[in-house]
Amino acid sequence: MMTSPEERLSLLAEYCRERGVPMTAQRRAVFEKVLTHKDHPTAERIYEEVQTVLPQTSRATVYRALDTLVEANLVKRIAHPEARTRFDPVTEPHNHLICETCGRVEDLENSESLPDPDLFKIPGWETKQVSILVCGLCPSCRPGSEPA
Ligand SMILES: [Zn+2]
Ligand SMILES: [Zn+2]
């Protein structure tokens, strides 16, 4: 189960306290924006949204705040060759669908179909997690489909 946004914000506050870094309004705003998304936003998208609440925030600050959230394990960075780097507030292992045309990334529902890491024993590697990435064309990008 995913913890509530309030609980997650308190986890961020705790992380900042432990590291001795300030829990700035910018960090908080970046995290809040990521949490509102189910569609795996890019850093640029988060930057634009943070601008609506804290217009003074620089792009570099947003990118750094995202790095902090990833280090704190509160947000996952998804980097797939087909898409720009995106951020995911769901940190539990789950599968993704990705559109090769528009780069849209969605969660594949019914993620109990996660592959068993024991089936992927690779010499020299410690396998921690295996997930499925389904690449293809989303409903709006399929030829002949009406634009959504
Ligand atoms: Zn698409
Ligand atoms: Zn996801």
Side-chain angles (χ1 to χ4, degrees):
M1 270 310 288
M2 195 166 152
T3 43
S4 70
E6 293 73 30
E7 283 174 276
R8 295 180 140 229
L9 279 165
S10 69
L11 287 175
L12 175 61
E14 200 177 301
Y15 178 85
C16 289
R17 217 175 19 249
E18 279 170 10
R19 297 293 167 109
V21 294
M23 166 84 166
T24 57
Q26 284 90 346
R27 272 205 184 95
R28 192 189 163 92
V30 167
F31 194 28
E32 282 173 340
K33 292 299 176 196
V34 175
L35 288 178
T36 62
H37 281 279
K38 283 206 180 325
D39 61 351
H40 311 86
T42 59
E44 194 57 28
R45 174 95 178 272
I46 296 298
Y47 167 71
E48 282 162 17
E49 291 187 359
V50 169
Q51 290 297 300
T52 65
V53 285
L54 295 169
Q56 308 297 328
T57 312
S58 72
R59 204 173 249 110
T61 301
V62 170
Y63 280 60
R64 270 202 305 273
L66 286 167
D67 285 342
T68 304
L69 291 169
V70 171
E71 281 160 30
N73 215 11
L74 292 166
V75 166
K76 270 202 154 167
R77 190 193 307 271
I78 346 177
H80 291 316
E82 306 292 341
R84 290 161 69 189
T85 299
R86 286 163 179 270
F87 295 88
D88 194 341
V90 180
T91 51
E92 292 83 15
H94 60 287
N95 299 318
H96 284 125
L97 285 166
I98 181 166
C99 175
E100 290 173 352
T101 300
C102 66
R104 172 208 295 216
V105 179
E106 287 178 18
D107 288 342
L108 180 58
E109 297 306 329
N110 128 43
S111 271
E112 61 266 20
S113 55
L114 278 173
D116 179 357
D118 287 344
L119 297 175
F120 294 82
K121 292 209 183 292
I122 295 147
W125 280 79
E126 178 193 346
T127 304
K128 289 189 168 176
Q129 183 199 311
V130 180
S131 61
I132 296 173
L133 173 62
V134 181
C135 294
L137 297 176
C138 75
S140 358
C141 295
R142 283 175 59 197
S145 63
E146 296 295 317

